[in-house]
Amino acid sequence: FIPLTFFSYDIASKLWVAFSIIAVIWVIYLCAKVYKMSFFSSINLFLASLVFLSFPLKFTLGMGQINLLILLLVTFSFYFLNVNKNQKAGLFLAFPVLLKFFPLLLIPYFIFIKKLRFLASFFLTVAALSLFTVLAMSFPVVYNYFHYSLPDLLSSWKGDYYNQALTGLLMRSVADVEARHFLRIIIPCVLLIINFIVIFMHRKKSI
């Protein structure tokens, strides 16, 4: 985000929204290539229109969130996996993992299907970027993040309007505070278990 600091807040926000919209179009284009369909095919344009009409996308654009950049990088990773460029795929997944933690949940899948080149590229990129961060930011700053900021982030899942995830929806449906905290933990665990069951059942059809 450092390049945006050279502009005024108003201009920087408009540039970020423009980039986010381009990122969505780019994601749709990459998905069309993965599924071997024309970007201008009727089905792809119909699905793209639904994407742009969806509330989560409009909410993300309005809040200026980083989600669309994360989605673009993850999509690039799967695109390169689809064309058997495992090293590039691992590199592109490393960046979103360092920006947000949820792409890290994909790693057990790649361990399961033994994508060794992908995993080597991923872990080397994460290690190199982490070392660069420590050198650039200084160790006390990094330590403070992992010791204080990160635990607060991991324990701050809320059920308010701004949490548009499935956990947010279900937590808003429950009034009891303890039950909401229970849902916050149990829902991701259940979804992970379901994902691993699906992966195990379709392991012969893996990328």
Side-chain angles (χ1 to χ4, degrees), residues 16-17 19-24 27 51 56-58 60-61 65-75:
W16 180 251
V17 170
F19 169 79
S20 297
I21 293 173
I22 293 171
V24 175
V27 166
V51 169
L57 175 60
K58 291 186 283 187
T60 295
L61 291 173
Q65 295 178 335
I66 200 175
N67 299 332
L68 297 173
L69 173 60
I70 301 296
L71 177 62
L72 178 61
L73 292 170
V74 171
T75 305

Side-chain angles (χ1 to χ4, degrees), residues 5-71:
T5 61
F6 292 101
F7 303 96
S8 67
Y9 176 81
D10 186 56
I11 294 176
S13 62
K14 287 181 172 61
L15 287 173
W16 180 251
V17 170
F19 169 79
S20 297
I21 293 173
I22 293 171
V24 175
I25 297 172
W26 209 339
V27 166
I28 295 171
Y29 171 76
L30 290 172
C31 289
K33 292 198 70 171
V34 168
Y35 288 101
K36 296 179 174 59
M37 65 170 66
S38 170
F39 180 81
F40 295 102
S41 66
S42 56
I43 182 64
N44 191 59
L45 291 177
F46 172 71
L47 294 174
S49 65
L50 293 180
V51 169
F52 278 97
L53 288 172
S54 66
F55 176 76
L57 175 60
K58 291 186 283 187
F59 185 86
T60 295
L61 291 173
M63 296 295 292
Q65 295 178 335
I66 200 175
N67 299 332
L68 297 173
L69 173 60
I70 301 296
L71 177 62

